[in-house]
Amino acid sequence: MINRTPQPINTLSIRYGEEKTFGRLNLSSTLPAYSQAKFQSSTHSLVNLAHENQLKLFDPTVQISGLTPDCADKTKACYNDPYDYERVFYENIMINMRNSFNRKSFQSYIENYFADASVCANYSGCVDYKDPALSYATRNMMMMGISGHQMDMFVMRDVYAADGMGGGSLPDIGLHQSEGKGWASYWHAYMDPNSGSYRGYNNMSYLSVFHEIAHGYGFNHSSGMTYGFADSWTNTYLQQHFTQHERENSNAHQVPSVLTKAELLEERKVRLSFYHTQPGASAQDIELQFIHNDGIDIKVDYIEGRDNTSVDVTFGTPPVAPVYVRSVSGNGEYMSTLQFKGSDLIPLPRYTFGGKAYTILDKKLIAPETSGWGIRKLCDQPGQQLATKADYQALWNYMSANNLLGTLSTNKFLSRDEPASWYIWMLEFNAREMASSYYQLGVGIGNDKALVCVAPAN
């Protein structure tokens, strides 16, 4: 087992065996951060063992080294790489941010905070928010909760400009992961134990780092997530849910109170089965939440004779934006979060050869008006990209050799590569050859064309 995280591991949520059974792996001794170990079990097979990560909120892609700019001008503030002790400082605060976002109590806390009219009135972002499908608090939580947001963590040096600085772009929660990035920083003396200005892990440090990371997610001062919620989280929530020792150290990896397994039964119908990770939990006592801003209908049916450990969920239409399903046991705190996209809810033709997996998107998942720029965002499974002309040629060769061309519902496709400015390729899968022609980037895909998504075969 290789631990590539800043957290020590005592227990881990896993899937294992040929059936990918869920379980909780308890280690006989702690696996430290950034370390590896060999282990064995006398009671279970370790075949196909893998970590099942369902603590999905606040999951940025953090860069914490290799950021160094030119700091030759000592008359200006400089933002560069953290030293080791500063890296650990950032890691410990971000671990507790992640541990907050994945708690049931945190969702209630942020909802109650922005639901207070006297609080909301202080921030124009809250006052002007009009989306009836999603509360302002939940929208903000999911924006900072979205995976894949690039976050560069700098340290401010040389000339003091403020306690911290940061900035970035707002993630689009209509996408399966963030395509944006941001940065945050904190004044170096506040993290240096040998400085007379050392703050350590006091409230001002937590407040400032949360504040600047919120800027890194694109939140401005009128949002209430920088000034406002950062203060409340630091001074109240953090004090109530984390001990002083937890606030000042690297906390061990957590597991959700339930693990949720999803099985596609038919188009738009998914069976959710629950595995309790906490001893003594009741199988009947599970809270289930659906978070989305699509306005789609969702029907939940409990399955008789299965001890209420499974439910069937039927979606009225394939969602355009991701739907988040969160689960927690009645006495649990850490929540399982799954994300469902339209491509998860429709069986799609998939061909694997030459080290790549080719998936043909159903036209139900593609709005006819989607342009050549927009189609590049529709390949939403891990590792996927829209196919290039060369990928389409490889797929045509495979389908032609295996007499599969007749199974296609359309023979026209669009690529992501551009043969000329403002143009992409349109490919036609004919019986004898694949034909190609230019297609304007700004024109909608229409109803007669489809897309192929390509990912590594593993």
Side-chain angles (χ1 to χ4, degrees):
M1 176 187 287
I2 303 174
N3 180 7
R4 295 186 174 92
T5 78
Q7 294 183 262
I9 296 175
N10 296 310
T11 184
L12 201 64
S13 51
I14 59 168
R15 43 189 161 82
Y16 63 96
E18 298 296 335
E19 301 299 321
K20 297 183 178 180
T21 303
F22 281 173
R24 174 175 175 149
L25 181 69
N26 296 311
L27 303 182
S28 59
S29 59
T30 299
L31 180 63
Y34 304 122
S35 68
Q36 59 184 325
K38 292 183 178 181
F39 62 99
Q40 61 184 11
S41 172
S42 60
T43 57
H44 289 79
S45 168
L46 302 180
V47 174
N48 297 328
L49 182 69
H51 177 212
E52 178 63 25
N53 176 30
Q54 294 189 6
L55 296 178
K56 293 291 184 68
L57 295 196
F58 191 67
D59 191 20
T61 301
V62 179
Q63 184 167 351
I64 213 158
S65 64
L67 303 166
T68 306
D70 181 5
C71 289
D73 186 352
K74 301 299 182 181
T75 66
K76 299 189 299 185
C78 172
Y79 303 89
N80 66 4
D81 288 9
Y83 301 136
D84 278 349
Y85 70 88
E86 294 165 335
R87 170 185 57 79
V88 171
F89 181 88
Y90 280 149
E91 288 174 347
N92 290 348
I93 291 179
M94 295 180 83
I95 286 169
N96 285 333
M97 289 179 65
R98 176 172 167 77
N99 284 346
S100 295
F101 272 78
N102 286 286
R103 289 180 182 231
K104 176 182 176 180
S105 57
F106 178 84
Q107 184 169 346
S108 301
Y109 188 83
I110 192 171
E111 287 286 352
N112 291 335
Y113 179 80
F114 284 107
D116 186 333
S118 65
V119 169
C120 182
N122 294 321
Y123 307 104
S124 60
C126 184
V127 172
D128 297 338
Y129 184 75
K130 304 299 180 186
D131 188 348
L134 204 62
S135 73
Y136 184 67
T138 299
R139 194 283 306 257
N140 292 351
M141 182 182 73
M142 300 312 293
M143 278 185 167
M144 283 190 73
I146 195 170
S147 66
H149 194 74
Q150 177 71 39
M151 180 60 62
D152 297 341
M153 299 301 296
F154 292 91
V155 175
M156 185 195 305
R157 305 189 194 279
D158 296 340
V159 176
Y160 175 89
D163 281 8
M165 298 285 280
S169 55
L170 278 171
D172 181 357
I173 59 173
L175 302 177
H176 69 288
Q177 65 178 21
S178 174
E179 295 184 344
K181 65 179 300 182
W183 66 281
S185 67
Y186 193 43
W187 177 239
H188 73 97
Y190 297 152
M191 295 182 278
D192 183 357
N194 296 316
S195 166
S197 302
Y198 179 62
R199 289 178 174 176
Y201 294 97
N202 70 8
N203 282 11
M204 285 303 299
S205 289
Y206 267 95
L207 189 158
S208 296
V209 173
F210 190 109
H211 180 117
E212 301 308 335
I213 288 175
H215 278 317
Y217 278 83
F219 289 103
N220 58 28
H221 288 162
S222 63
S223 69
M225 289 297 289
T226 53
Y227 292 125
F229 185 73
D231 304 71
S232 182
W233 174 77
T234 298
N235 296 320
T236 304
Y237 186 87
L238 195 67
Q239 311 306 313
Q240 293 175 347
H241 293 87
F242 296 84
T243 65
Q244 182 175 345
H245 181 269
E246 289 171 334
R247 296 195 298 271
E248 296 178 353
N249 292 277
S250 177
N251 292 316
H253 176 80
Q254 301 291 331
V255 298
S257 59
V258 292
L259 293 174
T260 308
K261 183 177 182 180
E263 176 189 2
L264 183 63
L265 300 179
E266 58 188 62
E267 186 172 311
R268 298 181 287 105
K269 187 174 184 179
V270 176
R271 175 161 294 168
L272 302 180
S273 301
F274 306 102
Y275 170 84
H276 285 271
T277 64
Q278 307 296 335
S282 168
Q284 290 79 21
D285 194 10
I286 294 173
E287 181 180 334
L288 195 60
Q289 302 175 357
F290 296 89
I291 299 175
H292 60 94
N293 62 353
D294 249 357
I296 61 173
D297 293 327
I298 297 175
K299 180 185 177 184
V300 179
D301 293 310
Y302 294 88
I303 305 170
E304 294 183 9
R306 293 178 65 93
D307 298 324
N308 287 344
T309 58
S310 300
V311 298
D312 287 348
V313 180
T314 304
F315 295 80
T317 57
V320 175
V323 175
Y324 292 86
V325 179
R326 308 195 76 198
S327 310
V328 64
S329 65
N331 60 349
E333 176 69 334
Y334 286 94
M335 303 187 73
S336 157
T337 301
L338 297 185
Q339 182 194 77
F340 289 95
K341 306 169 288 292
S343 58
D344 294 316
L345 301 174
I346 296 179
L348 300 173
R350 187 173 185 265
Y351 305 99
T352 302
F353 59 91
K356 293 183 178 180
Y358 299 76
T359 303
I360 302 176
L361 285 190
D362 194 289
K363 289 189 287 186
K364 296 173 187 175
L365 302 174
I366 309 170
E369 66 274 13
T370 308
S371 70
W373 290 288
I375 61 175
R376 294 170 177 171
K377 299 180 180 181
L378 298 181
C379 293
D380 55 12
Q381 294 296 330
Q384 281 188 341
Q385 283 190 313
L386 182 61
T388 63
K389 181 183 179 182
D391 291 324
Y392 280 111
Q393 185 64 67
L395 180 60
W396 183 90
N397 294 343
Y398 176 86
M399 297 188 77
S400 176
N402 290 278
N403 297 316
L404 294 168
L405 291 173
T407 65
L408 294 171
S409 60
T410 182
N411 72 330
K412 295 181 181 179
F413 303 90
L414 297 182
S415 77
R416 67 179 166 91
D417 48 338
E418 302 177 28
S421 297
W422 300 96
Y423 288 93
I424 55 177
W425 289 109
M426 182 175 75
L427 299 314
E428 293 188 54
F429 279 28
N430 299 320
R432 295 185 177 275
E433 64 178 2
M434 183 186 80
S436 61
S437 58
Y438 285 12
Y439 194 87
Q440 288 187 354
L441 262 170
V443 176
I445 188 172
N447 292 308
D448 62 335
K449 292 175 283 297
L451 303 172
V452 172
C453 300
V454 183
N458 59 357

